[in-house]
Amino acid sequence: MPRLFTLLAVLLLGAPLAHANPSQWQAEWPQTDFSRTSIDDWSEIMSGGPPKDGIPAIDDPQFRRADDAGGLRGREPVITVEIEGAEPRAYPIRYLMWHEIVNDTVGGVPVAVTYCPLCNSGMTFDRRVQGRVLSFGVSGKLRHSDMVMYDRQTQSWWQQAVGRGIVGEMTGVELRHLPTWMESWDQYRARNPQGLVMAEPAHNRSYGRNPYRGYDRSTRPFLYNGENPPHGIPPLERVVRVGDRAWPLTRIRDEGGVREAGVAISWEEGQASALDRGVISEGREVGTVRVSDGQGRDVPHDVMFAFAFHAFWPDGKWMVR
C-alpha cells in the first residue's frame, strides 16, 4: 500500500470509536433521520477523508461519439450502459475514479453510474424509488471500506456495494441494479463505433491517473477492520458477484469461463486494472467479465474485491473449485 495510504490508515483507524455516536454528524447532516437505520454498530462508519460532496458527483454529463473521443487509451476500463431503445453509453473509470457517481438519464431511465475504488465495485442503479427520482452524492463516509452514498431528496445514506438504504427515511429500500458491466475502451468502441462516451468533466482533476497506485496489490484493504475472506482467498482478489454468490476471477480466467447456478460467466483479455499503476491505462491485465442467463440476456453483477463480498454477504456462497 502506498505510504500516504498507510499514514492515513494509521490516523483514521482510531476515528471510529470517537465517532461511534451519530450525534457527532447532526451538524453536517441536519436533515438526516438517524433514528431510522439498519446499522447496529456505528463504529463501522468511518470518515474517508473528504467531507460531504468533497468528492463531487457529476449531474449533467456531456457526451461525445466514440469515433471522435480523443485522450482515452485502448485498455483502460469503462462502465458500459446499454438500455434497449437508447444509444449505448460508456462512462470511463478515469472520470469515475475522481467523482464516483454520475447521475444521468438513458433512454428515459434515470440512472446512477457508481464506482467505489476501494472495493472496485462498479454498479449502475435505477434512480426511481417509490414514485420519485432521486439524485445521489458522495457522503464522504465509508463502511467496510465501501462508499456511503446519500440522496439529496431525503438525505438518507445508501450502501453502494449493495444498493440499499442504511440510514434515514430510505432505510431498507433497495435500488434496482441494472445489468451493466466494465470493459475496456477498445472493446466498447469495437462494438459501438457510433456509441456515446462521457466527455471529460469541467473539474480540475488528474484524469487518467490512479491516485490509489498499487492498491490492488496490497495485502490489506484501506480502513477495513473486518474478517478476511474464507478459502484462503486474498482480500483484494477480484470476485464476480451475482446475487449472493461469488466466483473468484482467477477461476473464471483459468477455466475460460463457467456455466453454473443458472448463469454463464465469460472472461476476455484486454482490460487494464484501474488500481494498479499510476497511469490507469498501464495497469496489469485483469480482463473483461460478462454474465448472462440461460436466454443469453445480460445479468446484473459486480466485479469487486473479495473482502467486500465477505463483509456485505457474510453468509454468501463462494463458488470455488
Side-chain angles (χ1 to χ4, degrees), residues 222-264:
F222 182 61
L223 293 184
Y224 176 69
N225 291 324
E227 296 179 338
N228 283 338
H231 308 293
I233 298 173
L236 282 97
E237 178 173 332
R238 287 168 170 82
V239 299
V240 181
R241 182 189 69 81
V242 184
D244 62 355
R245 298 174 186 265
W247 285 259
L249 185 61
T250 51
R251 179 190 169 196
I252 304 298
R253 181 198 64 200
D254 294 348
E255 296 183 13
V258 300
R259 288 180 175 270
E260 58 190 15
V263 296

Side-chain angles (χ1 to χ4, degrees), residues 11-78:
L11 293 175
L12 292 173
L13 278 172
L17 294 178
H19 296 283
N21 188 333
S23 64
Q24 301 280 343
W25 303 313
Q26 289 285 359
E28 185 183 12
W29 300 87
Q31 296 175 291
T32 300
D33 183 357
F34 287 98
S35 70
R36 302 173 65 175
T37 181
S38 59
I39 296 175
D40 296 322
D41 181 359
W42 285 101
S43 69
E44 293 177 351
I45 302 292
M46 301 186 184
S47 170
K52 178 183 181 182
D53 294 323
I55 297 174
I58 298 297
D59 296 315
D60 186 25
Q62 304 299 303
F63 291 86
R64 303 176 65 179
R65 292 290 174 189
D67 61 359
D68 187 40
L72 298 175
R73 304 291 181 86
R75 295 177 61 248
E76 66 179 88
V78 302

Side-chain angles (χ1 to χ4, degrees), residues 55 78-79 91-102 113-117 198 207:
I55 297 174
V78 302
I79 292 179
Y91 300 80
I93 294 298
R94 63 162 52 209
Y95 307 142
L96 283 161
M97 184 76 76
W98 300 92
H99 298 283
E100 299 192 359
I101 301 173
V102 177
V113 183
T114 71
Y115 177 63
C116 176
M198 181 178 163
Y207 297 122

Side-chain angles (χ1 to χ4, degrees), residues 75 81 107 160 164 178 190-191 220 222 231 244 246-247 256 258 273 291 294 296:
R75 295 177 61 248
V81 177
Q160 182 265 350
R164 182 183 303 123
L178 300 177
R191 255 192 358 273
R220 55 182 287 191
F222 182 61
H231 308 293
D244 62 355
W247 285 259
V258 300
S273 166
V291 182

Side-chain angles (χ1 to χ4, degrees), residues 13-223:
L13 278 172
L17 294 178
H19 296 283
N21 188 333
S23 64
Q24 301 280 343
W25 303 313
Q26 289 285 359
E28 185 183 12
W29 300 87
Q31 296 175 291
T32 300
D33 183 357
F34 287 98
S35 70
R36 302 173 65 175
T37 181
S38 59
I39 296 175
D40 296 322
D41 181 359
W42 285 101
S43 69
E44 293 177 351
I45 302 292
M46 301 186 184
S47 170
K52 178 183 181 182
D53 294 323
I55 297 174
I58 298 297
D59 296 315
D60 186 25
Q62 304 299 303
F63 291 86
R64 303 176 65 179
R65 292 290 174 189
D67 61 359
D68 187 40
L72 298 175
R73 304 291 181 86
R75 295 177 61 248
E76 66 179 88
V78 302
I79 292 179
T80 296
V81 177
E82 294 186 0
I83 293 177
E84 186 175 358
E87 293 183 285
R89 299 191 182 197
Y91 300 80
I93 294 298
R94 63 162 52 209
Y95 307 142
L96 283 161
M97 184 76 76
W98 300 92
H99 298 283
E100 299 192 359
I101 301 173
V102 177
N103 294 294
D104 197 7
T105 300
V106 183
V109 179
V111 302
V113 183
T114 71
Y115 177 63
C116 176
L118 297 177
C119 290
N120 195 57
S121 177
M123 302 172 67
T124 304
F125 302 106
D126 188 326
R127 294 191 285 119
R128 294 173 295 190
V129 176
Q130 298 179 344
R132 54 181 158 178
V133 177
L134 303 181
S135 62
F136 291 93
V138 182
S139 72
K141 303 293 188 287
L142 298 172
R143 180 167 173 246
H144 302 317
S145 201
D146 179 59
M147 168 176 50
V148 175
M149 312 186 297
Y150 78 95
D151 74 78
R152 294 163 180 152
Q153 286 66 36
T154 74
Q155 298 290 301
S156 297
W157 293 5
W158 300 76
Q159 194 72 61
Q160 182 265 350
V162 298
R164 182 183 303 123
I166 58 171
V167 177
E169 178 183 334
M170 292 294 173
T171 295
V173 176
E174 295 193 5
L175 299 170
R176 185 165 71 96
H177 183 191
L178 300 177
T180 61
W181 60 92
M182 199 180 297
E183 63 183 335
S184 73
W185 170 234
D186 271 351
Q187 289 163 341
Y188 171 81
R189 63 180 174 178
R191 255 192 358 273
N192 304 296
Q194 291 297 309
L196 300 175
V197 58
M198 181 178 163
E200 183 171 304
H203 289 261
N204 184 21
R205 299 291 190 275
S206 297
Y207 297 122
R209 299 202 64 84
N210 165 29
Y212 307 93
R213 179 173 56 86
Y215 180 59
D216 66 357
R217 294 179 183 268
S218 302
T219 57
R220 55 182 287 191
F222 182 61
L223 293 184

